[in-house]
């Protein structure tokens, strides 16, 4: 648990919850974007304002210069807070001015340096006025001396007016908040869907393996895929679990029957020693023990195959292996060998021999008079076939017989039969070799075909 908690501890500046993290990240990114856009916009409006002020100055100057030259200056000139005009005669008296500057001393002196007739200066503030203003000053030569014209406009800031600044800041904040809220809403929807899957998964255990996680909304495709995959996995787990449960039940049952029989015989013999045929009783008990041993051996083999114990593959002459294996025992029926010479395969010879014996033992039990075993090789695979002339296996049972403890003729033939695990083991061996073991159609009897692919 500690480990889990450590893994969930915070790393980096953002919180670990996807909802909070994504919302915060989008919030930061969008705030940066909006700040950038706002600054550009404000610079643009500031520039426009400055241009407009300059145009007002030019317009005023162009109107006033001819009037000054001709000496027809009205005392009150048009202007206001955003345009201050002052006309001074050679003695420095205000001859004409915008209303606020009437009777005022000069708002500025003509700078000593620079252009002889025109100067531009920033006055913070100009005498008698407030705030910083940009003043354009002109000298006008007249017969009675040099007249001065000052035209001043408020110095505009880089962002234009404060109204625009306030509006842009407000809009940016609103948009950022909207983006954060929108992100939270979208992420929240997805995370809620994932949460629902997690909650359902947490509830699923061995006694509720049939439960499935909920699907998300159709427009949450990736989450839906996750849910579908989880459900598929649960399907497979449930199947495997049920198979295992059946297998355990079958195994216990199959072990218990011979065990009970042995125990009964022994108890009877102990209770009535004089009435007991001891050699016969011992033989019966031994048969029971043999059966128990066979089942336990098969179960162990299957357990090893299930655990995917590594094979011991080697280059094997399959023809010779089958030939030797068939000669090992005398059979109740004739065994016909149809072996293509020198068929070689990469396989675990002990396991393949085991598979062959399982098939031939079955065939012997079901054959009327004859078993045919053939080995062949073609381009893509090596084939081993075991065919008998018995009653065969109906098409619908051809997969069933490979399941563990499945016996078609169980009722009829229980004791004579094997453990019911022979074909299951044979198929596991085939699959461990990346091959297949199937039952194919035949004119008569059962036809088992093992195919092992060859790597070229
Ligand atoms: N050659 C065959 N012909 C007919 N039926 C067969 C043949 N081989 C296997 N079967 C059927 O498949 C069942 C499973 O076989 P197997 O797994 O080897 O178990 P067991 O041989 O112990 O019964 C057998 O009980 C039998 O009903
Ligand atoms: Mg068998």
């Amino acid at each position: 648990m500690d480990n889990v908690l450590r893994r969930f501890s915070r790393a980096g500046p953002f919180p670990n919850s996807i909802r909070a993290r994504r919302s915060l990240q989008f919030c930061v990114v969008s705030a940066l974007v909006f700040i950038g856009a706002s600054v550009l916009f404000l610079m643009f409006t500031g520039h426009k304002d400055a241009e407009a002020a300059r145009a007002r100055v030019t317009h005023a100057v162009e109107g006033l210069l001819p009037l000054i030259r001709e000496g027809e200056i009205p005392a009150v000139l048009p202007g206001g807070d955003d345009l201050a005009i002052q006309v001074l005669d050679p003695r420095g008296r205000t001859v004409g001015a915008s209303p606020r500057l009437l009777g005022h001393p000069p708002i500025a002196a003509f700078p000593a340096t620079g252009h002889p007739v025109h100067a531009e200066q920033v006055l913070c503030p100009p005498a008698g006025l407030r705030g910083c203003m940009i003043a354009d000053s002109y000298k006008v030569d007249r017969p009675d001396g040099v007249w001065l014209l000052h035209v001043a406009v408020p110095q505009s800031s880089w962002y234009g007016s404060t109204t625009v600044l306030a509006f842009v800041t407000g809009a940016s904040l609103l948009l950022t908040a909207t983006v954060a809220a929108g992100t939270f809403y979208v992420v929240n929807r997805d995370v809620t869907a994932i949460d629902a899957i997690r909650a359902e998964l947490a509830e699923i255990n061995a006694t509720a393996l049939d439960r499935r996680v909920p699907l998300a909304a159709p427009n949450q495709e990736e989450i839906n895929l996750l849910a579908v995959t989880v459900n598929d996995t649960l399907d497979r787990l449930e199947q495997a679990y049920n198979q295992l449960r059946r297998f355990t039940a079958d195994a216990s049952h199959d072990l218990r029957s011979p065990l009970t029989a042995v125990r009964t015989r022994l108890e009877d013999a102990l209770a009535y020693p004089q009435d007991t045929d001891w050699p016969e009783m011992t033989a019966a008990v031994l048969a029971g023990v043999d059966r128990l041993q066979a089942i336990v051996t098969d179960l162990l083999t299957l357990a090893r195959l299930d655990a995917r114990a590594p094979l011991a593959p080697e280059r094997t002459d399959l023809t010779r292996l089958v030939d030797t294996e068939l000669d090992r025992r005398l059979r109740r029926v004739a065994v016909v060998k149809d072996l293509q010479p020198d068929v070689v395969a990469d396989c675990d010879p002990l396991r393949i021999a085991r598979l062959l014996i399982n098939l031939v033992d079955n065939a012997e039990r079901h054959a009327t008079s004859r078993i045919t075993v053939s080995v062949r090789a073609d381009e893509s695979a090596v084939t081993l076939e075991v065919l008998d002339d018995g009653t065969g296996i109906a098409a619908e049972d051809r997969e069933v017989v490979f399941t563990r403890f499945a016996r078609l003729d169980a009722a009829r033939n229980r004791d004579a039969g094997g453990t019911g695990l022979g074909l299951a083991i044979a198929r596991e061996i085939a699959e461990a070799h990346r091959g297949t073991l199937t039952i194919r159609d035949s004119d008569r009897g059962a036809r088992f075909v093992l195919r092992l692919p060859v790597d070229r």
Side-chain angles (χ1 to χ4, degrees):
M1 195 66 187
D2 259 8
N3 269 347
V4 176
L5 286 181
R6 210 168 303 133
R7 279 197 16 223
F8 282 107
S9 67
R10 243 156 51 63
F14 292 107
N16 274 350
S17 143
I18 295 181
R19 287 175 244 242
R21 195 182 171 84
R22 287 287 170 270
S23 308
L24 212 63
Q25 284 171 341
F26 267 78
C27 196
V28 168
V29 170
S30 54
L32 288 177
V33 169
F34 291 138
I35 287 174
S38 304
V39 167
L40 285 179
F41 179 74
L42 289 170
M43 280 167 74
F44 175 74
T45 55
H47 179 74
K48 279 277 164 220
D49 278 8
E51 265 185 355
R54 182 129 299 280
R56 277 201 310 281
V57 171
T58 314
H59 181 73
V61 169
E62 278 170 359
L64 286 167
L65 283 180
L67 294 183
I68 295 172
R69 282 195 195 104
E70 283 150 27
E72 294 168 2
I73 303 298
V76 183
L77 297 169
D81 278 350
D82 58 349
L83 184 67
I85 303 173
Q86 198 174 35
V87 180
L88 302 160
D89 69 9
R91 288 159 64 191
R93 284 175 313 194
T94 302
V95 182
S98 52
R100 180 144 323 153
L101 291 177
L102 284 176
H104 257 263
I107 57 168
F110 195 91
T113 54
H115 199 275
V117 295
H118 170 229
E120 190 183 292
Q121 50 192 324
V122 178
L123 305 167
C124 270
L129 293 175
R130 268 174 289 135
C132 287
M133 297 186 95
I134 298 177
D136 263 29
S137 306
Y138 287 86
K139 278 182 183 170
V140 184
D141 266 334
R142 280 185 32 149
D144 58 341
V146 176
W147 287 53
L148 270 183
L149 165 66
H150 294 304
V151 179
V153 287
Q155 189 185 29
S156 55
S157 51
W158 66 269
Y159 54 78
S161 72
T162 40
T163 321
V164 176
L165 178 67
F167 174 77
V168 167
T169 311
S172 294
L173 285 177
L174 198 70
L175 283 173
T176 307
T178 311
V179 168
T183 312
F184 185 84
Y185 172 75
V186 172
V187 175
N188 187 44
R189 220 186 35 187
D190 294 347
V191 172
T192 307
I194 296 175
D195 252 357
I197 295 176
R198 184 202 55 73
E200 185 62 30
L201 268 182
E203 296 276 305
I204 295 175
N205 54 32
T207 52
L209 260 184
D210 56 339
R211 289 171 67 159
R212 294 295 174 264
V213 301
L215 296 184
N219 59 357
Q220 294 171 304
E221 196 183 331
E222 286 84 352
I223 299 177
N224 254 338
L225 272 177
L226 170 71
V228 169
T229 311
V230 166
N231 283 343
D232 283 352
T233 308
L234 288 173
D235 279 348
R236 273 181 277 130
L237 278 179
E238 188 186 9
Q239 262 175 30
Y241 180 77
N242 286 341
Q243 200 179 343
L244 196 68
R245 215 162 48 175
R246 264 199 311 275
F247 178 59
T248 315
D250 290 347
S252 327
H253 178 265
D254 274 59
L255 285 171
R256 194 148 44 180
S257 313
L259 206 58
T260 313
V262 166
R263 189 189 173 94
T264 313
R265 291 304 296 262
L266 289 175
E267 280 172 353
D268 276 358
L270 269 185
Y272 310 103
Q274 308 86 335
D275 300 342
T276 302
D277 178 349
W278 284 93
E280 188 269 336
M281 191 280 298
T282 315
V285 166
L286 204 57
V289 170
D290 274 349
R291 180 153 183 77
L292 283 171
Q293 193 174 22
I295 295 175
V296 170
T297 309
D298 278 357
L299 282 175
L300 274 177
T301 310
L302 264 179
R304 267 189 221 113
L305 285 165
D306 280 346
R308 293 269 171 262
L311 299 173
E314 54 188 69
R315 212 142 179 77
T316 310
D317 185 338
L318 202 64
T319 311
R320 215 177 42 226
L321 181 144
V322 172
D323 199 16
T324 328
E325 214 48 63
L326 291 179
D327 285 347
R328 222 181 265 283
R329 246 176 65 188
L330 254 177
R331 301 271 173 188
R332 181 180 66 80
V333 292
V335 178
V336 179
K337 297 181 203 162
D338 170 16
L339 310 178
Q340 181 183 320
D342 301 327
V343 173
V344 179
D346 281 321
C347 62
D348 184 333
L350 286 179
R351 292 256 158 84
I352 295 295
R354 176 65 204 259
L355 180 153
L356 175 68
I357 292 166
N358 286 5
L359 294 185
V360 176
D361 282 355
N362 282 351
E364 181 182 19
R365 191 140 24 94
H366 293 93
T368 311
S369 61
R370 191 158 77 142
I371 305 171
T372 311
V373 179
S374 62
V375 171
R376 273 187 309 275
D378 62 29
E379 273 300 292
S380 57
V382 168
T383 313
L384 166 66
E385 207 176 289
V386 178
L387 170 71
D388 64 60
D389 58 355
T391 48
I393 299 174
E396 66 269 20
D397 291 329
R398 287 184 186 170
E399 274 305 308
V400 177
V401 290
F402 288 103
T403 48
R404 299 171 183 194
F405 293 112
R407 279 189 219 138
L408 299 182
D409 42 11
R412 257 193 303 127
N413 217 355
R414 190 148 202 116
D415 283 340
T419 59
L421 295 169
L423 287 180
I425 290 175
R427 177 164 270 183
E428 290 286 345
I429 292 175
E431 285 173 358
H433 284 83
R434 293 188 296 117
T436 54
L437 176 63
T438 48
I439 302 172
R440 304 258 177 100
D441 291 336
S442 64
D443 294 341
R444 190 179 169 198
R447 179 174 161 227
F448 284 84
V449 180
L450 166 75
R451 268 177 78 82
L452 297 178
V454 267
D455 299 327
R456 294 205 186 275

